[in-house]
Each structure stands twice: as C-alpha cells, then as structure tokens.
Amino acid sequence: MNHAIRVLEYQLLSYRRTWRGGLFTTFLAPVMFLLAMGLGLGTFVDGSAGGGLGGVPYLVFLAPGLLASNAMQTAAGESMYPIMSGITWNRIYQAMTSTPIRPRDVVAGLALWLVVRLAIVSVVFVAVMLLFGATSIGPGVLMIPVAILTGLAFALPIVAFSVTQRTDAMFPVINRFIIVPLFIFSGTFFPLEQLPALLQPIAWVTPLANGVSLARGIAIGGLDPALAVWNLGVLVAYCAVGLAWASRTFHRRLVQ
Amino acid sequence: MSSPTSEPLVLARGLTKRFGAATAVDGIDFQVAAGEAFGFLGPNGAGKTTTMRMIGCVSPVTDGSLTVLGMDPRTDGPRIRARLGVVPQQDSLDTELTVEENLLIYGRYFDLSYRESRTRAKELLDFVQLTERAQDAVEPLSGGMKRRLVIARGLINQPDLLLLDEPTTGLDPQARHLLWDRLYRLKQQGVSLILTTHYMDEAEQLCDRLVVMDKARIVAEGSPRGLIDQYATREVLELRFRPEDQAAAEAQLGGLAERIERLPDRYLLYTTDGDAAAVEVHERGLRPDQVLVRRSTLEDVFLRLTGRTLIE
C-alpha cells in the first residue's frame, strides 16, 4: 500500500504541473452541456405534451446521465495517452519499477489516482448541477461515488489495454467505437426503453448505461433495489476485471 | 557508501536468459566485488543490457544462478532494488516535472521523507553540476545534462551498487568527458559501479575489471591493461592505401608485424614498435595515404577475439 501511495504522489505532482490544460474539459464542458442540452433542448421537451420525461423536467432527467458520461470521458482521457506515453515515451513506469515499487504497486497507485481525478471532475459537475437547480444537495453528494465508480469501470480495463500498446493507433478506434456510441446510446439523453428491443440487453451489460441508471435513480428517487444491485454489480465487475487484467499487462510489459 | 564485505556484490554462475527461442545471455559466469568498477564491453546485441536488467531485478533469470547483494532476485527483488541505483540506457525522466522534482519524487519511491529527499537532491544536483537548472523543466536540457540528472537520480538512495547501461552513448565528446569525470569521482568515493559500454575508451577509463561479451557469451575477462597485453601488441600501425594500390600493397606487408588485420578501409599491423614498422613500410617502397602509430586499445582486443570491430 505504501508503494501505491508513492505512485499516487507522483500522479498528484504531475497533475499540479498539468491541471491548467484540463480546465476546459473539467469545468467548462459540463456547464456548456447543461446549458445547451438541459436548458436549451429541455425547453422544447418540457413544453411538449405531458411536459418533461415522465413528469420529470428534462434538465433533472439529463443531468445525472451527463455526470456519469463526464466521468466516462475523463476516464478515457486519463487511461489512454498518459499510460502509453508513460510506458513507451517517458518510460516513467520503468523508472518506478527500478525502485522497490513493483508493477502491481504501479497499478494500485494508478487506480488511486483515477479515484482522485474522477472525484475532482464529479464534484465540480455536481456543483454545476446544483447551480442550475438540476439536483439537490443530498442526491448530489450520493451521485459522486456512482460517477467515480462508472469512470473506474472504463478506466481500469482501458489502462490494462493501453499499457500493451506501442503506438497510439488504437486510441481513436476506442473513442469512435466504444466511448462515443455509449455516450449516445446509454440512456443519457433519452430513456433506454426507447432503444430497439434487440439493443436493450446489450446496453444493460455496458458500464455507462448502468452508471446512468444508478445516478438517475438517486437523482429522481424511486430507486429499484434489484436494479440498483444489478447496476452496482456490473460496474464493480468491470473494475475488478480491469484491475486484475492491468496487473497482468503491467507485469508483462515491465518484467521481461 | 558501500560497506566493506568479503562477499561479492554480484555473483553469477551459468547465468542464462532466453526470450522464446532466442538466447540473449548464454551461461555466463562473473562476479563483482565491493568497491569495484566492473564493465561489460561488447557490441549491440551482445547481451549486456539483458544482463544488467537481470542484476536490476526487472528481468527474471531463465537458468543458472544469480545473487545480488547476497540476495536472490527471484524472491527479494524489491529489497535488492532498494539498495541499487539504476541509470538506464534511455533516460526515463518525467519531462513535465522540473529537474528537482524528478529527484524528489524518486527519493519518495525509496521511502525517503520529503525533507531528506530535498536535502539529497540539492547535494546531488551540485555533484552533477545542475544546481542552476534545479527549477527548470527537463525538456530543454541537453542530452548530457539529462544523463547527469539520471545519474543523480540513481544516487538518491545512496546505493551500494550503481548500474549504468551505456552511460555516454549518443553524447558529444565534451559531455562524455564531463560524465566520465563525475563517474570517476564516484569511484574514488568507493561507490561500486557496473557499466555496459561499446566504447573502448570508456571501458579503459572507468573499469577496474571487465568482461568482453559477444553473441550472448563472455569471450574474455581481465583488467583493461591486462586484456590489451594478452590479446594485442603494445602498438598498432594503421595504414590506409588508395584503393588502386591496395592489392599490391597487401602482398608486400607480410612479415612486418606479429599480426595483420585487414579492415574494409585500412590495415592494422600489430607490433611492439610501430615507428620501426612504419620505417620498414617506407623502405619496402610502399606509399600509404595515411600512416598512424598508436597504442593498442580494447578495440584491438575485441577485433582479435571476435574478428569484428565493435561498431559496425
């Protein structure tokens, strides 16, 4: 654990140098999305027959989905280029494992760092939600760990994959064929029930749909316990598999 | 920095490393004593780096035995690495951090307190003459400065043994000499060094003892001087002819030296008296384009042992 903390310390030191570059995606992107989709588009949705989605204002419906999606986007950003660059270009992981730190300590430290990083963006996002009246403080706070877990469910498997890569060729592919489609079709913008019946079972085993479902259940209330357990189970499973896989791939790349 | 002990710092018997069907290190034996500067000399692909990685406990031994600081890398990797300093072939610095931060965080990996790490970083930056660059980013530093920083980083845990993998490859002559000077000082302070190099002059300058590696095996072992005495003559006469004169000249070189090596662009005549041989060349009516008399070096030893030059 001590060694994992050292890796986290490195990540924080590095973040202190680079956080300004991420200001836009961390702070401005959520504001713009909530403004454009929640308030802009929401005016039309709420003005339609029935008013809102199932009686819920569109902004309230949308915001928890955007929170989970934002965690996914952050996770994707943190777990592709920085990892490959650390193992291939800067060789910082090789430098770490020349010390008492072991590859699995590196993975544990990275997981801790991802928790911190996802916590930062999620706290900011919830604060913006509160500002726009998209949620209240109680559910807002409860949604933060859900967002972190959703982010980890993406980050850990992608980290495991990225460390095996020698070029960045696959990263745009992951973005195009996993991140973007999930962003659009995971119930963030419209209820999953609107998806073709064939696609719905698929959606329910992807991390984002479960993260969105859980966050929205907390935000709107009336969380179905069975569904919540399923949501949590899927997210935790992705994290566990990702962690075990990453331990293997880091070891394989660093100890040859 | 190292404690006096009769036990060797590194002891390898039949040390072997295979990657699939390829054998990178093929049953080598060597040992390194405390306070010694020990070298692995050989061309690229000879197995030097793989051997260093096994000593550094980041590459599992396939066969044979290896003991580092009295411990087994298989089971005691982290404990061994805690007492090693590693200067890898590629710099592995974090270019987003400052010079000082690179040292600070590295000290933390060895569980030094921030305070202790900062104190040592200051001393080490002074030692490698980078104090003025402490607060600068790493990226604009020259190649030589980066290498010096990596050496400082390798010393932050006050290691019992410093591993340097091709410490001056790719540096200009001035930067190399500055680096050699620092390494020589470390040696004087009693730091044990193991280094790999394909530069003969580097091995001659820094190593008390070395092994010559070629094709995954050790082909000779000794002190730089001893190896030269054993495998080469005192002096070498280098002759370069115009291509059109070459064939005729070669026929007349016989008997001029103990041994003659033909390289693509010149002849090397191994003799105890280079000047006398040069006079003899003239007396035979040969008119080489260039004549050079020099002392034998480890390069000549390598040529003798393998029939090839080091850097092809």
Side-chain angles (χ1 to χ4, degrees):
Chain A
M1 196 60 193
N2 217 11
H3 289 143
I5 301 281
R6 299 291 171 260
V7 177
L8 173 63
E9 283 178 37
Y10 161 76
Q11 293 291 344
L12 293 173
L13 187 65
S14 175
Y15 188 56
R16 216 176 69 180
R17 290 265 156 214
T18 56
W19 65 278
R20 287 171 200 88
L23 271 184
F24 175 80
T25 40
T26 306
F27 295 91
L28 247 56
V31 175
M32 284 177 25
F33 256 104
L34 280 175
L35 273 177
M37 309 299 286
L39 298 175
L41 184 65
T43 313
F44 291 98
V45 179
D46 295 343
S48 68
L53 276 166
V56 179
Y58 188 61
L59 178 66
V60 175
F61 171 87
L62 175 73
L66 283 180
L67 169 70
S69 299
N70 194 45
M72 172 186 74
Q73 307 274 14
T74 304
E78 286 294 328
S79 54
M80 290 195 265
Y81 285 93
I83 302 296
M84 194 216 45
S85 130
I87 196 99
T88 305
W89 298 332
N90 273 340
R91 299 174 74 83
I92 47 174
Y93 303 124
Q94 285 87 339
M96 283 177 184
T97 48
S98 299
T99 75
I101 292 172
R102 298 160 301 178
R104 69 178 110 136
D105 302 320
V106 175
V107 173
L110 280 172
L112 291 175
W113 155 245
L114 287 163
V115 169
V116 172
R117 178 83 181 97
L118 289 163
I120 293 170
V121 295
S122 302
V123 166
V124 169
F125 200 102
V126 166
V128 174
M129 282 166 70
L130 290 169
L131 208 69
F132 284 102
T135 189
S136 50
I137 186 80
V141 169
L142 268 179
M143 274 187 278
I144 291 170
V146 172
I148 294 172
L149 189 63
T150 307
L152 281 180
F154 281 96
L156 291 170
I158 299 176
V159 161
F161 172 79
S162 298
V163 84
T164 65
Q165 298 298 295
R166 280 166 208 277
T167 71
D168 57 5
M170 283 304 289
F171 297 154
V173 178
I174 293 179
N175 265 322
R176 234 167 273 155
F177 291 100
I178 298 178
I179 303 299
V180 170
L182 287 186
F183 179 52
I184 297 169
F185 295 112
S186 291
T188 304
F189 300 101
F190 54 86
L192 264 190
E193 291 73 37
Q194 303 292 315
L195 278 184
L198 215 64
L199 288 180
Q200 289 190 26
I202 299 173
W204 282 116
V205 292
T206 63
L208 186 58
N210 286 284
V212 170
S213 159
L214 199 54
R216 186 169 290 142
I218 291 169
I220 297 176
L223 192 61
D224 173 8
L227 181 60
V229 168
W230 171 260
N231 295 154
L232 269 175
V234 170
L235 294 175
V236 169
Y238 274 96
C239 291
V241 169
L243 206 54
W245 185 27
S247 293
R248 278 174 66 99
T249 53
F250 268 75
H251 184 88
R252 217 177 287 161
R253 188 83 195 259
L254 288 166
V255 179
Q256 295 173 349
Chain B
M1 284 185 196
S2 54
S3 54
T5 166
S6 54
E7 204 181 320
L9 290 182
V10 182
L11 178 64
R13 288 289 170 259
L15 183 61
T16 301
K17 178 74 190 190
R18 280 186 288 269
F19 295 104
T23 303
V25 176
D26 192 2
I28 63 172
D29 300 333
F30 64 90
Q31 68 181 67
V32 182
E36 202 173 20
F38 184 85
F40 289 97
L41 176 74
N44 290 332
K48 307 183 306 280
T49 297
T50 306
T51 305
M52 289 292 253
R53 286 177 52 84
M54 288 193 278
I55 298 170
C57 307
V58 290
S59 177
V61 172
T62 311
D63 217 339
S65 74
L66 177 67
T67 310
V68 183
L69 305 171
M71 292 177 275
D72 182 350
R74 262 174 266 241
T75 50
D76 294 315
R79 278 176 61 207
I80 296 171
R81 291 199 300 270
R83 291 167 52 193
L84 294 181
V86 177
V87 178
Q89 210 174 111
Q90 286 157 293
D91 282 332
S92 73
L93 291 165
D94 191 306
T95 46
E96 266 154 12
L97 302 184
T98 66
V99 167
E100 190 190 30
E101 283 170 338
N102 264 283
L103 294 184
L104 268 182
I105 193 69
Y106 214 71
R108 292 294 289 159
Y109 297 160
F110 290 97
D111 271 338
L112 300 180
S113 67
Y114 273 106
R115 197 199 172 109
E116 180 63 23
S117 201
R118 204 177 293 275
T119 310
R120 290 191 193 179
K122 209 175 262 299
E123 289 167 10
L124 287 167
L125 285 177
D126 192 40
F127 174 69
V128 297
Q129 299 169 310
L130 283 174
T131 302
E132 278 139 49
R133 308 303 295 263
Q135 305 309 323
D136 293 356
V138 165
E139 202 32 62
L141 296 189
S142 70
M145 287 175 172
K146 283 185 189 163
R147 292 261 82 187
R148 266 144 56 202
L149 178 56
V150 178
I151 289 172
R153 192 181 67 176
L155 292 167
I156 196 119
N157 60 328
Q158 299 177 339
D160 293 324
L161 174 61
L162 185 63
L163 305 177
L164 301 131
D165 195 1
E166 302 199 0
T168 65
T169 297
L171 300 186
D172 60 63
Q174 204 186 348
R176 293 178 72 200
H177 281 282
L178 181 54
L179 211 79
W180 284 346
D181 171 59
R182 295 296 112 176
L183 293 175
Y184 187 74
R185 278 168 201 243
L186 281 178
K187 211 177 112 177
Q188 297 303 320
Q189 291 167 19
V191 177
S192 309
L193 308 174
I194 300 182
L195 64 100
T196 72
T197 182
H198 55 235
Y199 295 122
M200 295 295 170
D201 46 352
E202 186 158 285
E204 288 184 69
Q205 292 241 4
L206 294 174
C207 297
D208 301 319
R209 211 159 53 80
L210 59 96
V211 291
V212 180
M213 284 191 83
D214 186 43
K215 295 178 180 158
R217 291 169 183 272
I218 290 175
V219 291
E221 178 183 349
S223 68
R225 201 63 246 163
L227 284 169
I228 291 167
D229 290 345
Q230 192 178 347
Y231 294 102
T233 52
R234 204 168 66 87
E235 292 188 340
V236 184
L237 172 63
E238 293 199 9
L239 302 175
R240 200 186 295 257
F241 293 96
R242 274 184 295 271
E244 61 270 24
D245 297 343
Q246 196 150 331
E250 184 167 347
Q252 292 190 62
L253 289 176
L256 273 175
E258 290 173 35
R259 195 163 56 84
I260 297 176
E261 291 278 355
R262 180 192 172 168
L263 298 184
D265 60 337
R266 69 213 136 110
Y267 294 92
L268 304 181
L269 281 67
Y270 290 91
T271 170
T272 45
D273 189 340
D275 287 320
V279 170
E280 178 77 18
V281 165
H282 261 266
E283 281 172 1
R284 290 190 184 186
L286 294 171
R287 294 292 173 265
D289 234 16
Q290 280 177 25
V291 178
L292 170 71
V293 176
R294 59 169 176 82
R295 274 166 32 118
S296 282
T297 69
L298 284 170
E299 181 87 43
D300 301 299
V301 172
F302 189 81
L303 187 64
R304 173 73 187 275
L305 287 167
T306 67
R308 290 176 292 119
T309 50
L310 263 172
I311 301 162
E312 287 166 327

